[in-house]
Amino acid sequence: MRDESGTAVVLAAGEGRRLEPLTNRRPKPMVPVANRPLLEHVVEAVVAAGIDRIVLVVGYKQERIRNHFGDGDDWDVTIEYVEQSTQLGTGHAVLQAEPVVDGPFVVLNGDRLVDAEAVSAVRDRLSDGDAPLVTVTAVERPRDYGVVRLDGDRVIDIDEKPEGPVDTNRINAGVYGFSPAIFDAIRATNATGELAITATLNDLAERDEVTGLGYDGRWLDVSNLWDVLTVNAALIHDTDHAREAPTTGRRIGDTVSVADDVVLAGNVRVGPNATLSGATAIGSNVTIAANAVVENTVVFPDAVIGPGAVVRDAVVAGNAQIGPNATITGGVSTVVVGDTVHRDVTLGGVVGDNASIGGGATLTDGAVVGDDVRADAGVVVDGRVEPNAVVRRG
């Protein structure tokens, strides 16, 4: 199965629990940004790098990925699938591709966005005998990722989310180059719990066998809910990545204000005097009623924003309904994810799939409303509301 143009293995089996409720009905790589799934941006980078064979490692809600990408014809690439039935770590995920890989290959994460140059740089360095390649980039908050220590271009170690002092801003960018020898190395890795590919790389680094490859291009990561807004804005503002959808079926009312940094999918309906601005993506079949204001927001397909509603710094999931004159004020908030408190993040609120926010209701900054929640008219929604709950006044 050797292909001279190379093979890319894309890891897309994960659930993405920190993105709940957005990942209750879809795998993390299928969360849309700029009106397209994260994974579609990754696939396009691989294709632009000149690779025409992609192996997708799928698992959680995999039918969403298989149905969207099919055999890859729409992207002029051959797409094959292997299953990671239980998510046991990135190393284990790479191992699932062994039966369909016969030569050097590139590995990418299906939820981290890079430019094609990162992929082509790794592919161009690949050969059967070379040491594993790890792309290394610089970020503002390195301790949130895998911090890489280098000696020249040799990787000394990769420290995942270190708790101690960090003396470098260089991290693992998540694009790798491997020969088939990596499969035996993964099997030889001793790890407690999930088997991360970085555990194998650290074992190899002890023997002088891992090369770091610098990369200073686009690197976008969606780890938390507010990252959806950040990455969406970055893609919209980048003309190389933004792609306007067909205008089929759109109905835009009179005196509607649509800023240049708004992307609209097909079959969108916008009522008179509505205002859309601030790096907003409106998915297909969305209705935005008269006098509504939507700013710096990602709206998934089939959602409804009622008349006079104000929705800022928010993510509104599929088929959700925001009632008349309801308000998501937006701004800086504190959000609790698991046992971690995140302060000073820009997130007005998140509304899960099929949830309904009643007329005149208010979401306080950082509120997260689960799937199928029903919030009565006039209520104030604070914190996290579990799926299927009913929020009543008093």
Side-chain angles (χ1 to χ4, degrees):
M1 295 186 182
R2 184 72 172 269
D3 191 328
E4 292 303 319
S5 70
T7 294
V9 174
V10 181
L11 311 182
E15 180 177 351
R17 291 183 179 179
R18 284 182 290 179
L19 291 187
E20 290 179 349
L22 304 181
T23 51
N24 289 338
R25 283 178 163 84
R26 60 187 65 79
K28 180 181 177 182
M30 292 303 290
V31 170
V33 286
N35 284 342
R36 289 186 288 152
L38 286 164
L39 184 55
E40 187 170 325
H41 296 281
V42 176
V43 166
E44 290 190 348
V46 172
V47 173
I51 294 175
D52 60 13
R53 178 173 182 253
I54 297 175
V55 176
L56 294 180
V57 183
V58 295
Y60 175 74
K61 304 287 187 185
Q62 60 181 281
E63 68 281 355
R64 298 289 295 262
I65 295 175
R66 291 177 182 267
N67 291 340
H68 184 85
F69 290 97
D71 60 8
D73 275 356
D74 289 347
W75 291 267
D76 294 322
V77 64
T78 298
I79 293 181
E80 302 170 40
Y81 300 87
V82 295
E83 182 179 1
Q84 185 189 27
S85 56
T86 304
Q87 282 69 68
L88 297 176
T90 51
H92 181 264
V94 172
L95 199 57
Q96 307 315 300
E98 184 176 19
V100 297
V101 170
D102 183 25
F105 60 104
V106 180
V107 172
L108 302 92
N109 290 298
D111 56 6
R112 287 184 176 174
L113 310 189
V114 297
D115 289 333
E117 288 76 8
V119 185
S120 58
V122 171
R123 185 206 54 192
D124 293 345
R125 291 275 297 271
L126 285 175
S127 69
D128 287 305
D130 277 355
L133 298 170
V134 177
T135 51
V136 178
T137 195
V139 297
E140 291 183 1
R141 302 188 312 275
R143 67 171 61 252
D144 291 344
Y145 305 101
V147 175
V148 179
R149 289 197 302 133
L150 297 168
D151 180 6
D153 64 354
R154 182 175 72 86
V155 174
I156 299 173
D157 65 35
I158 303 173
D159 190 1
E160 291 290 344
K161 297 183 179 179
E163 296 182 359
V166 174
D167 58 3
T168 177
N169 65 347
R170 292 176 296 192
I171 67 161
N172 170 17
V175 183
Y176 310 97
F178 296 137
S179 75
I182 195 67
F183 299 123
D184 285 339
I186 293 171
R187 278 188 286 268
T189 304
N190 290 319
T192 302
E194 292 188 353
L195 175 56
I197 191 63
T198 50
T200 298
L201 292 170
N202 279 330
D203 283 354
L204 295 172
E206 291 180 358
R207 301 195 294 270
D208 232 13
E209 295 181 6
V210 181
T211 300
L213 187 61
Y215 168 65
D216 59 3
R218 178 177 296 281
W219 187 86
L220 298 171
D221 173 66
V222 177
S223 294
N224 293 291
L225 289 167
W226 50 92
D227 295 326
V228 175
L229 298 179
T230 303
V231 171
N232 180 72
L235 291 172
I236 288 175
H237 291 142
D238 185 342
T239 55
D240 290 335
H241 289 260
R243 186 176 69 187
E244 185 71 1
T247 59
T248 306
R250 288 185 191 165
R251 296 206 302 271
I252 310 297
D254 296 333
T255 62
V256 169
S257 175
V258 181
D260 291 339
D261 58 353
V262 172
V263 290
L264 303 175
N267 297 310
V268 170
R269 295 168 293 281
V270 185
N273 301 313
T275 300
L276 312 180
S277 64
T280 288
I282 306 297
S284 60
N285 303 311
V286 166
T287 297
I288 298 174
N291 302 303
V293 175
V294 183
E295 179 181 335
N296 188 37
T297 290
V298 176
V299 183
F300 290 16
D302 304 310
V304 176
I305 310 294
V310 175
V311 180
R312 292 189 173 100
D313 303 332
V315 181
V316 179
N319 202 43
Q321 297 191 35
I322 309 297
N325 301 309
T327 302
I328 305 176
T329 55
V332 176
S333 60
T334 297
V335 182
V336 179
V337 181
D339 296 328
T340 305
V341 178
H342 299 268
R343 304 184 189 280
D344 299 325
V345 299
T346 299
L347 184 67
V350 175
V351 179
D353 290 276
N354 301 317
S356 176
I357 307 300
T362 300
L363 268 64
T364 61
D365 290 346
V368 178
V369 176
D371 295 346
D372 301 296
V373 165
R374 294 292 176 264
D376 285 353
V379 301
V380 176
V381 181
D382 190 14
R384 187 174 288 265
V385 181
E386 294 303 312
N388 300 298
V390 177
V391 184
R392 303 191 186 281
R393 296 186 69 176

